[in-house]
Amino acid sequence: MRRGLLAGMVGLGVLAVVQVPAEPASAAITGTVQFTGHGYGHGRGMGQWGAYGYAVTGASHTDILGHFYGGTTLGNQGDAPITVGLSGQDGADLVVTSGRDFTAGGVPVPGGSAARLRALADGSFQVSVSGGCAAPGGAMSPAGNGRVAPNADPGNDLGGMISLCTATGTRQYRGELAVLWANNSQRTVNTVWMEQYLRGVVPRESPASWGDAGGGKGIEALKAQAVAARSYAWSENKTPYAKTCDTVTCQVYGGAGINGGSIEDRRTDAAIAGTAGVVLKKGTAVVRAEFSSSTGGYSAGGNFPSVVDLGDGVSSPYHNWTQPISATTIATAFGVGELVEVKVTKRNGLGADGGRVTAVQVVGTAKTVTTTGTDMRTKLGLRSDWFSVAGVSQSVPAAVQPVVHLASGNAVGAGAVGVPFGQSGDVPLSCDWNGDGVNSLGVFRKGTFFVTDDAAASTGVRAFLYGDSGDQPVCGDWDGNGTDTVGVYRNGMVFLRNSNTSGMADGRYPFGQAGDRIVAGDWNNDTYDTVAIWRNGKYHWTNSNLVATTDGTAALGDPSDAPVVGDWDGNGSDTFGVFRAGVFYLRNDTLSGVSELTVVFGDLGDKPMSGRWQAGGGGDVVGVARSY
């Protein structure tokens, strides 16, 4: 086929790198132990660096959210106040000031003065008023409540907001502050409208400068962050006195300003306004949309399906890391005496090196402790639970690298070139992704396409989100411009896109039914590729990408065969074939009948491929994909 072929159904697989088990060392380890790993943080839900990587390569915030938060839908939650516990104030009086008149504990306070509010264990409150944050506090007197509020809405005027007096200056907050007695201590709470609260969260969680990256495409990562942060906050019920908190225990919140200077940003403000009220839901419930800095290339799962995160590899400084930890630190953290060995015994099977560590033994001279990768990350301060240790034993199964074997011709005894590409479980494709007249490889993996422009290349050079896990991928020149682009097939519905970027379908139509297999080709030599479906030993094709009608059918082979399509004779029209147990049976027309050309190539269990593997004309040549 001149412009592409798909084979197989999607399924998720991993490449596991096996280190040969070794006998534990008999002597204690001295010096440092070298950890290497991937990612930063727990890895659940959205990876912020991954969101950025996807955004600057063309993905929208809805693409990003759909990729990382599988099983959710977008909904709306109206703006309303949220309560935020200010953790740094635990156990302390609430000392505040403002450039405008305000009220503290029911007592009027003139602008420029400061008030001290105290909550007592019996539920009562005390207040004093002084000349400013630096002035000595006056005598405390009974107060009606623990609230502090401006007398008029200050809008965006930092000088008119309530300012928290701290040892290093002041911090400005929108809304109100209050002190109360809870959990055997004084607590301070900021009550603020959700959309205003997010203005203090999003630039703390994702760099606002991302909004300018990629010619402005990076704003989509900030929009994704805004939706995730809004969802996370609404789903929280952190304490009896505050819905959420202001640290990494919840999500980082800094208020509106520090020492009278704004810490909000126009770019994150725009991202928040551009997604106002949008939240992620499962059913009617807002979901706890967890996120972390870097997934390392594969999210960790949990409340959302684990997914490949190619965006993380675009620019994350934590995609790969090395971290030395002293043997003494490891031994002390787990109380094993002197350290003898760190032995990884189980991984989650997702991603490089076998994935995240789920079980590990710390062997010492005194005892052996079995723990989890998460516990090890916490106790040792590792960047993530996806790590390997120099010289350790790993009880993880080996995986076979998938390889596409490209034939030198459609003849018995044809030579072959093997090109390793992708991971086990990927769906392999062959298409002319850059319009140079030569097919090169790609794979579809759970809603993400990875493609390369060199027929001999083993690494994808571009990745983009399109379709969903479980879709059948297909590729072809839908608009006749000489470059193949992608499509997916889902339950009898075709979704085609005219560019190899993340985005919505440019054309969609029903054709066939659930359970059919899809292929693509130029059946009538009009320069446009269209689709065909394979069902029970028969092809059904259409010549239109606008209103699909069945323009022809052709019976060939057996229902258990695998379909394969190509321009076998180089006349400009694609025709049909089937693959069965290492043998291709090909026809040079779209009529029913027996094969006109038989090519022995491949083996039982291979998936058929076809393409023009070299420049210089001629017809399409067969190939096989193995170990996918």
Side-chain angles (χ1 to χ4, degrees), residues 152-208:
D153 182 3
N156 292 321
D157 177 17
L158 291 167
M161 295 179 192
I162 301 299
S163 292
L164 178 67
C165 299
T166 71
T168 57
T170 60
R171 186 177 287 268
Q172 288 69 51
Y173 288 91
R174 297 178 182 275
E176 299 182 3
L177 297 180
V179 66
L180 68 159
W181 187 270
N183 295 356
N184 299 314
S185 184
Q186 289 193 101
R187 312 288 177 177
T188 295
V189 174
N190 178 204
T191 301
V192 58
W193 287 83
M194 171 62 79
E195 300 302 311
Q196 293 182 340
Y197 158 76
L198 292 173
R199 296 175 67 178
V201 170
V202 179
R204 309 281 79 74
E205 290 289 359
S206 293

Side-chain angles (χ1 to χ4, degrees), residues 97-473:
T97 188
S98 177
R100 297 186 190 178
D101 295 351
F102 64 100
T103 300
V107 176
V109 181
S113 297
R116 177 184 295 272
L117 270 167
R118 179 177 298 160
L120 303 177
D122 63 3
S124 63
F125 301 91
Q126 295 178 342
V127 64
S128 67
V129 178
S130 60
C133 284
M140 303 293 286
S141 59
N145 55 58
R147 293 176 53 204
V148 180
N151 289 352
D153 182 3
N156 292 321
D157 177 17
L158 291 167
M161 295 179 192
I162 301 299
S163 292
L164 178 67
C165 299
T166 71
T168 57
T170 60
R171 186 177 287 268
Q172 288 69 51
Y173 288 91
R174 297 178 182 275
E176 299 182 3
L177 297 180
V179 66
L180 68 159
W181 187 270
N183 295 356
N184 299 314
S185 184
Q186 289 193 101
R187 312 288 177 177
T188 295
V189 174
N190 178 204
T191 301
V192 58
W193 287 83
M194 171 62 79
E195 300 302 311
Q196 293 182 340
Y197 158 76
L198 292 173
R199 296 175 67 178
V201 170
V202 179
R204 309 281 79 74
E205 290 289 359
S206 293
S209 60
W210 284 359
D212 296 327
K217 293 178 181 177
I219 193 71
E220 297 301 311
L222 299 182
K223 288 181 178 179
Q225 180 67 70
V227 175
R230 185 182 293 112
S231 303
Y232 189 96
W234 277 135
S235 70
E236 279 270 90
N237 285 292
K238 183 64 177 177
T239 64
Y241 58 88
K243 190 166 183 63
T244 189
C245 66
D246 62 345
T247 69
V248 292
T249 304
C250 303
Q251 50 189 357
V252 180
Y253 168 63
I258 296 177
N259 296 326
S262 177
I263 58 172
E264 299 170 344
D265 190 278
R266 60 173 177 79
R267 293 158 293 196
T268 47
D269 285 351
I272 295 160
T275 61
V278 178
V279 292
L280 292 160
K281 290 186 173 183
K282 285 187 177 180
T284 59
V286 180
V287 301
R288 190 168 182 260
E290 291 183 285
F291 50 85
S292 62
S293 175
S294 169
T295 67
Y298 220 119
S299 65
N303 292 328
F304 309 100
S306 299
V307 292
V308 174
D309 179 8
L310 191 78
D312 190 81
V314 173
S315 57
S316 170
Y318 311 110
H319 187 68
N320 301 310
W321 51 262
T322 300
Q323 195 172 347
I325 305 288
S326 75
T328 301
T329 298
I330 299 169
T332 301
F334 293 95
V336 296
E338 293 182 278
L339 184 66
V340 172
E341 186 181 18
V342 178
K343 183 186 298 185
V344 175
T345 58
K346 191 175 181 181
R347 295 179 179 273
N348 71 355
L350 303 176
D353 308 325
R356 298 174 188 272
V357 174
T358 56
V360 59
Q361 291 181 343
V362 183
V363 181
T365 55
K367 63 179 179 179
T368 296
V369 171
T370 299
T371 186
T372 65
T374 299
D375 184 49
M376 200 157 200
R377 170 198 164 214
T378 301
K379 289 182 177 177
L380 300 184
L382 298 175
R383 289 192 174 93
S384 74
D385 60 356
W386 188 353
F387 58 81
S388 296
V389 191
V392 305
S393 302
Q394 298 188 67
S395 299
V396 293
V400 177
Q401 169 69 60
V403 176
V404 176
H405 299 273
L406 312 178
S408 61
N410 293 329
V412 176
V417 174
V419 181
F421 199 89
Q423 299 178 356
S424 177
D426 291 345
V427 183
L429 302 105
S430 156
C431 271
D432 182 1
W433 306 109
N434 62 354
D436 66 354
V438 178
N439 285 60
S440 51
L441 301 181
V443 293
F444 179 74
R445 184 184 307 157
K446 208 171 185 179
T448 302
F449 284 87
F450 304 79
V451 304
T452 185
D453 293 330
D454 182 348
S458 298
T459 305
V461 296
R462 297 192 304 282
F464 49 94
L465 304 172
Y466 190 67
D468 295 330
S469 177
D471 289 347
Q472 290 186 55

Side-chain angles (χ1 to χ4, degrees), residues 488-529:
V488 294
Y489 189 55
R490 182 188 310 150
N491 295 326
M493 194 73 163
V494 180
F495 302 85
L496 304 180
R497 185 156 173 80
N498 286 326
S499 63
N500 290 318
T501 59
S502 303
M504 302 295 291
D506 294 304
R508 65 183 67 195
Y509 52 84
F511 193 68
Q513 61 193 35
D516 289 344
R517 299 274 298 277
I518 191 170
V519 293
D522 181 359
W523 320 121
N524 60 358
N525 202 8
D526 66 353
T527 75
Y528 290 87
D529 281 342

